[in-house]
């Protein structure tokens, strides 16, 4: 069985969805957890309660990843609480779907790129500065970066850029034994835009039709890979992007 005992993990955007699933998985494996949230304090407190009930150590830190000073403070508070950082998951992001290239606005572009690109870049930069030797850095990308879908130009573009940084960072800090990888989930059930989307929605049905396994990705599917990348078994895997979509065309 994998163990993350004596490890400290920082997961951005971990008050809900994929970030929550990864935080709770790491806690179940024995890691101390830094839950990050931007606005939803109530959800962050729920995650803290869940992790505390597992017997793991946990703190919640409010920080907006679009603000570099907030990112720096997030890492500083993590080290103040636990003394070190061994695992960083750059997960915070927002979606923008079903929007043709001819229709997106400057405001929409700026907001998505501010969170998904700027936020990811400075989270990964701070991770590189603060993570312990032999640590693990993981970026949560999107299958829109591998299977271009109409209406996803802004979102897919914003998730593509940090994948390049993953490969660069793996080369720049690999000498410290640190691995840097990205997870590329397919459309994830019950998260983001799918939280309120009905299962009879034409878009949902189209995605389902493209899946040979007859379902969308789940948060546990992604947490499984996050567990692998955080542990010893992936110690010589770096600069890689692992697609988790069950062979879907999306």
């Amino acid at each position: 069985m994998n163990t993350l005992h004596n490890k400290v993990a920082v997961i951005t955007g971990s008050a809900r969805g994929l970030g929550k699933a990864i935080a709770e998985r790491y806690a179940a494996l024995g890691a101390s957890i830094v839950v990050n949230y931007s606005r939803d304090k109530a959800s962050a407190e729920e995650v803290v309660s869940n992790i505390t009930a597992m017997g793991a150590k946990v703190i919640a830190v409010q920080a907006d990843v679009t603000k570099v000073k907030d990112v720096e403070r997030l890492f500083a508070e993590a080290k103040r609480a636990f003394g070190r950082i061994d695992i960083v998951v750059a997960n915070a992001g927002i979606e923008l779907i079903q929007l043709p290239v001819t229709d997106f606005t400057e405001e929409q572009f700026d907001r998505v790129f501010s969170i998904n690109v700027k936020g990811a870049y400075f989270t990964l930069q701070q991770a590189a500065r603060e993570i312990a030797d032999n640590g693990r850095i993981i970026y949560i990308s999107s299958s829109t970066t591998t299977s271009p879908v109409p209406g996803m130009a802004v979102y897919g573009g914003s998730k593509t850029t940090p994948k390049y940084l993953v490969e660069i960072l793996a080369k720049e800090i690999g000498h410290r034994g640190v691995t840097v990888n990205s997870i590329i989930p397919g459309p994830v059930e019950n998260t983001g835009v799918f939280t309120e989307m009905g299962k009879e929605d034409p878009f949902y049905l189209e995605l389902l039709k493209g899946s040979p396994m007859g379902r969308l990705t789940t948060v546990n599917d992604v947490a499984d890979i996050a567990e692998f990348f955080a542990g010893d078994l992936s110690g010589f895997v770096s600069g890689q992007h692992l697609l988790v979509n069950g062979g879907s065309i999306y």
Side-chain angles (χ1 to χ4, degrees), residues 10 34 60 74 77-78 215:
V10 176
V34 180
L74 169 63
E77 291 195 26
R215 66 173 178 86

Side-chain angles (χ1 to χ4, degrees), residues 5-8 79 83-88 126-137 169 172-180 229-232 235 238:
H5 284 289
N6 300 318
K7 302 294 185 182
V8 177
K79 294 190 80 171
R84 60 185 288 123
I85 298 171
D86 302 285
I87 304 162
V88 176
Q126 199 65 18
R129 290 171 174 169
E130 300 294 345
I131 200 160
D133 288 353
N134 301 309
R136 303 286 186 262
I137 299 175
L169 195 53
E172 289 186 354
I173 63 175
H175 67 278
R176 293 175 46 206
V178 177
T179 66
V180 189
F229 277 145
D232 293 339
S238 195

Side-chain angles (χ1 to χ4, degrees), residues 15-16 36-46 62:
R16 63 180 75 179
N36 161 249
Y37 67 100
S38 177
R39 291 176 295 181
D40 193 349
K41 184 178 181 180
S43 293
E45 289 176 342
E46 179 183 343
Q62 188 283 327

